[in-house]
Structure formats: structure tokens, C-alpha cells
Amino acid sequence: MAVINKFFAKGRVTSLQKIAKGYSFTVASPVFVTRRRDSEIKTVAVETYPNFYVTSGSEAEKYLLEEKIKVGDSIEVEGQFRSYIDSRHQEAVTDIEATIIKRDISRLDSAYFIPGREYSTPENSGYVSGKITEIHLTSIDSNNKPAVIQIDISENDRKNVVRALCYGAIKSKILKEAHVGDEIKTYGIVQTPDKKANKDKKVIFYHNYTIYDYAIAEKKDSNKAS
């Protein structure tokens, strides 16, 4: 199974700053959810604020500077999840590297997941496929506590993992069906990251990639058999 590592967001730039490795910016990227309001069930947009970085010398940085992107501008971003181990907290931290930036605001394509499926949050869409390396179990009866599925999305000799959260019915289903070693395709969204400062006063963003839908592409047993 080919690894897929894509995240799309579109919305309004809410912060933009120069950092050591390039630039960092956040985007108000809505997620459409169904809620009950005034005894009626309505679909509403809830803004989240995924944080991106742009690498010095990249095409994305060139576009950012040439187009003079600023806070308040509406943009569309394509990015990839990158991970590293934070030495202070000894855990995998997920960044999102912006690879393409556009001023054009168009409907994002859902072609990276299962053909024929439509999703209601194209403004904030993650597509991740890879091998499950860890499953952190929580109480299957507690919908408020997520299960954490760690997915290896390494490619081109670059080590990357994504810690994906799942809740509710998706959590119950995935804990029954998925196992370490399985290859999985997921569709999800990025929530507003937790922002912390380490001992060197470097700001670290802990992104939460939440699975909305998934498919087991290949079971571990069938991998062995082949």
C-alpha cells in the first residue's frame, strides 16, 4: 500500500511569524459538525486553527513572500505531517509542513481516500495511510476519552509517525477491527493544537489528528502470507 500523507486547509490567516527554519502561520479552518440547537438539528461551522511551518528556501516560502501573504488573507494550503521526538517530554510531536500555498479558494478534492465517499469538511481534511505501529487502549465505554492509533507514514528514508485520535462509534469499531501491523487508510481533521513552551522557550504545537473514517487496507496476517 502506498503511503499517503496529505493535509488540506483553507481559511483566513490568523497569525504569521518568522521562525528559525522559515515561517510559521495559523489558519482559521472550519470543521462542519451537526449540533442540536433550539430543539433543531443543524450543521454548523466550528473554526479550528491548525499551525503550519514553511521551510526556508521552499516553493511555499517563495509564494508566501512574493504574494505578500499577511494576517487576514484567505488562502488554501496543502501540507504534510512531520514528526520528531521532543527531548523534554519524550513523545512524538507532529508538525504540519506547508508544501503548497494558494490564494485561490476552491473546493478541496477528496480523492485521497476511498473512491465514491464524500466528506463534509473539505476545508480541514487529512488523508493518512500507513502501518499501525501502536494502539493505546482506553475504556471502550468512555466516549470522552480517545483511543490513540499511531500510524507509520515514513517514506523516502524520512521517519514520520502520526498519533491519530478516535472517539465514540469510530473508536469502538476501530478497537475491534484494527491491530498493530495492519495497514490502514484514514480520513480526519486537525483540531486546534495545544501550544506549549519547552525549557528553551521554544513553542511546540501538539496537533490532534482525529479520525472521522477509516478502512483497513491490509491485515497483518495477509502481509505475512504474501
Side-chain angles (χ1 to χ4, degrees):
M1 180 187 71
V3 168
I4 295 173
N5 175 8
K6 297 286 186 182
F7 176 67
F8 297 97
K10 63 179 180 179
R12 174 176 42 84
V13 178
T14 60
S15 71
L16 174 63
Q17 61 181 333
K18 186 79 174 71
I19 58 175
K21 57 187 174 182
Y23 286 86
S24 173
F25 64 94
T26 56
V27 176
S29 183
V31 174
F32 292 94
V33 298
T34 301
R35 288 183 173 176
R36 184 178 294 276
R37 285 188 173 180
D38 301 325
S39 300
E40 292 185 20
I41 297 177
K42 297 180 179 180
T43 299
V44 297
V46 178
E47 282 191 336
T48 61
Y49 298 87
N51 184 81
F52 297 85
Y53 74 89
V54 176
T55 304
S56 295
S58 65
E59 288 298 315
E61 184 193 50
K62 182 179 177 181
Y63 186 91
L64 187 80
L65 298 177
E66 288 182 350
E67 291 292 317
K68 298 180 180 178
I69 301 296
K70 63 185 184 303
V71 172
D73 287 353
S74 293
I75 63 172
E76 180 176 316
V77 188
E78 177 180 332
Q80 293 186 313
F81 295 104
R82 304 297 189 194
S83 66
Y84 63 95
I85 300 297
D86 172 48
S87 58
R88 181 183 182 192
H89 300 285
Q90 290 299 310
E91 60 180 310
V93 177
T94 301
D95 280 339
I96 307 174
E97 178 184 3
T99 54
I100 298 174
I101 303 173
K102 300 178 183 178
R103 282 191 181 276
D104 307 331
I105 300 295
S106 59
R107 183 173 176 83
L108 297 177
D109 189 5
S110 295
Y112 289 96
F113 197 64
I114 301 170
R117 293 195 185 179
E118 293 283 336
Y119 299 106
S120 61
T121 59
E123 289 81 1
N124 185 328
S125 300
Y127 303 88
V128 172
S129 66
K131 183 173 290 187
I132 298 173
T133 57
E134 292 183 25
I135 299 177
H136 299 283
L137 300 176
T138 60
S139 172
I140 199 168
D141 297 322
S142 176
N143 288 332
N144 294 327
K145 295 183 179 180
V148 181
I149 312 296
Q150 185 164 291
I151 304 170
D152 188 336
I153 53 172
S154 302
E155 54 185 340
N156 299 325
D157 296 322
R158 184 165 186 173
K159 180 69 176 178
N160 276 308
V161 295
V162 167
R163 293 175 70 252
L165 308 182
C166 48
Y167 297 84
I170 288 292
K171 180 180 85 169
S172 300
K173 190 167 180 281
I174 205 168
L175 289 181
K176 292 175 182 176
E177 294 183 354
H179 301 86
V180 171
D182 291 350
E183 293 182 350
I184 190 171
K185 292 183 176 182
T186 68
Y187 159 76
I189 62 103
V190 169
Q191 299 169 324
T192 300
D194 294 327
K195 182 172 156 182
K196 303 177 184 177
N198 65 11
K199 59 184 179 181
D200 299 320
K201 296 185 178 180
K202 175 185 175 184
V203 174
I204 297 175
F205 290 94
Y206 290 82
H207 285 91
N208 292 324
Y209 173 65
T210 301
I211 297 175
Y212 271 26
D213 199 0
Y214 75 94
I216 303 297
E218 191 170 1
K219 297 294 292 179
K220 179 182 178 180
D221 291 344
S222 61
N223 290 337
K224 285 184 177 180
S226 60

